[in-house]
Amino acid sequence: MDQPHRNQGYPLQLLYSPERIQTEIARLAKEINASYEGRELLVIVVLKGALFFAADLLRLVTVPVRMDLVKLSSYAGTESCGTVRLTKDLEFEVAGKDVLVVEDIVDTGLTLVYLLDLLKQRGAGTLRVCTLIDKTERRQAEVTADFVGFHCQGGFLVGYGLDLDERMRELPAIYQMIQDHDGEI
Ligand code: 5GP
């Protein structure tokens, strides 16, 4: 296992290297290409965390794609406050479309359930979810992703788009934050 190191003052343990991330993304793209052959996809990228993931994934998707962005908020620091808000709405109509939501992490599932309900209300034709990371341990809402990069136990992750208070998104790998001896991250 790689040695823990500090970045911007925080102790981090490498979880997924850039190479591992790209291997899983190539697999996901293959699955998506096979599932949507002959159709056009409306991909909804959930900002900001899924931005890096979506950029790499969509470059390997061979079916025609239109992309839209949505922003939802429920987190402050490392804790979800449980109430989801839509802070940036979609540009495109979803009615009748083959919609694929691209998420960074499904954790409690509350954010995803909120978004899926909204897309259903707006009449999405088909609705599926691709997430880079599925953290099933803390799931509160009954929701499953259709395409999953990594299944992960828990812990707070940063890097490759994932932030701690807007920092560390730019790290090329995904790291788990390690608790200091006083229990603080
Ligand atoms: P949920 O509503 O499923 O609990 O949380 C979904 C969102 O919370 C994710 O899209 C992600 O933005 C954020 N999130 C959940 N777990 C983590 C984590 O380990 N690290 C970071 N940076 N964000 C997380």
Side-chain angles (χ1 to χ4, degrees), residues 17-54:
S17 68
E19 294 73 26
R20 264 198 85 188
I21 295 170
Q22 294 308 321
T23 301
E24 294 312 313
I25 290 178
R27 174 184 57 79
L28 289 172
K30 259 193 188 165
E31 290 175 20
I32 290 167
N33 291 335
S35 299
Y36 290 97
E37 210 183 330
R39 285 145 74 186
E40 185 188 73
L41 261 183
L42 177 57
V43 171
I44 296 179
V45 181
V46 183
L47 293 174
K48 298 177 190 170
L51 204 59
F52 292 46
F53 171 44

Side-chain angles (χ1 to χ4, degrees), residues 158-172:
V158 293
Y160 193 67
L162 307 172
D163 72 312
L164 173 68
D165 287 338
E166 294 301 327
R167 297 208 166 81
M168 293 187 277
R169 291 192 198 275
E170 73 279 16
L171 304 180

Side-chain angles (χ1 to χ4, degrees), residues 65-81:
V65 163
R66 289 192 309 143
M67 189 190 78
D68 206 343
L69 306 170
V70 73
K71 198 167 170 198
L72 300 149
S73 130
S74 72
Y75 262 64
T78 61
E79 285 305 315
S80 169
C81 65

Side-chain angles (χ1 to χ4, degrees), residues 80-148:
S80 169
C81 65
T83 312
V84 184
R85 287 181 309 124
L86 184 71
T87 56
K88 188 219 164 290
D89 205 340
L90 295 167
E91 204 179 308
F92 298 136
E93 297 286 331
V94 298
K97 303 285 186 283
D98 287 317
V99 177
L100 179 68
V101 172
V102 174
E103 254 287 22
D104 54 355
I105 299 185
V106 185
D107 184 13
T108 63
L110 295 173
T111 308
L112 188 57
V113 160
Y114 177 94
L115 179 60
L116 294 179
D117 283 348
L118 185 78
L119 296 171
K120 277 180 209 154
Q121 276 170 31
R122 293 185 183 180
T126 66
L127 191 49
R128 295 213 262 178
V129 176
C130 176
T131 187
L132 180 60
I133 296 164
D134 193 356
K135 279 191 198 168
T136 42
E137 205 179 55
R138 300 205 322 153
R139 195 61 46 83
Q140 288 177 32
E142 265 209 32
V143 65
T144 50
D146 303 277
F147 306 97
V148 177

